[in-house]
Amino acid sequence: MVKKRTCIFISGQGSNLKNLICHSRDNNFPIKISLVISNNKKAYGLNYAKKYKIPYVFINTKIKSHENKILFNLRKYNI
């Protein structure tokens, strides 16, 4: 099965991210987590990205061009 490269958006504890990471390690799960984006640089969920060596970025959603930064990163990581 070819897995879809996927980005996960988080803002807090990362319990959903942790669950998705665990499932994505199963060969039958259809996604590969290739990027994590957070609007909170202190989000605990970023620790899961670090632990599993998943690239992550912080994007301040209060700035005007945040959508462009999100799109840039999605393209950069081929998602």
Side-chain angles (χ1 to χ4, degrees):
M1 170 192 309
V2 176
K3 293 187 172 217
K4 291 278 187 185
R5 296 176 59 82
T6 307
C7 174
I8 307 296
F9 292 83
I10 66 167
S11 61
Q13 292 298 310
S15 56
N16 290 326
L17 173 62
K18 182 180 178 185
N19 192 16
L20 286 168
I21 290 170
C22 290
H23 282 85
S24 70
R25 302 218 175 258
D26 179 354
N27 288 334
N28 293 321
F29 199 69
I31 68 167
K32 175 184 191 272
I33 302 171
S34 301
L35 178 64
V36 174
I37 294 178
S38 178
N39 65 340
N40 176 0
K41 61 179 133 185
K42 294 183 180 181
Y44 185 79
L46 292 175
N47 292 323
Y48 296 122
K50 292 175 193 174
K51 179 179 178 180
Y52 292 100
K53 297 178 174 60
I54 300 169
Y56 61 91
V57 292
F58 163 73
I59 296 178
N60 184 350
T61 55
K62 305 245 188 253
I63 60 173
K64 187 176 182 181
S65 63
H66 73 273
E67 292 100 344
N68 289 333
K69 291 183 180 196
I70 291 170
L71 289 172
F72 171 81
N73 280 286
L74 292 176
R75 287 186 196 108
K76 178 180 174 182
Y77 288 94
N78 199 25
I79 298 171

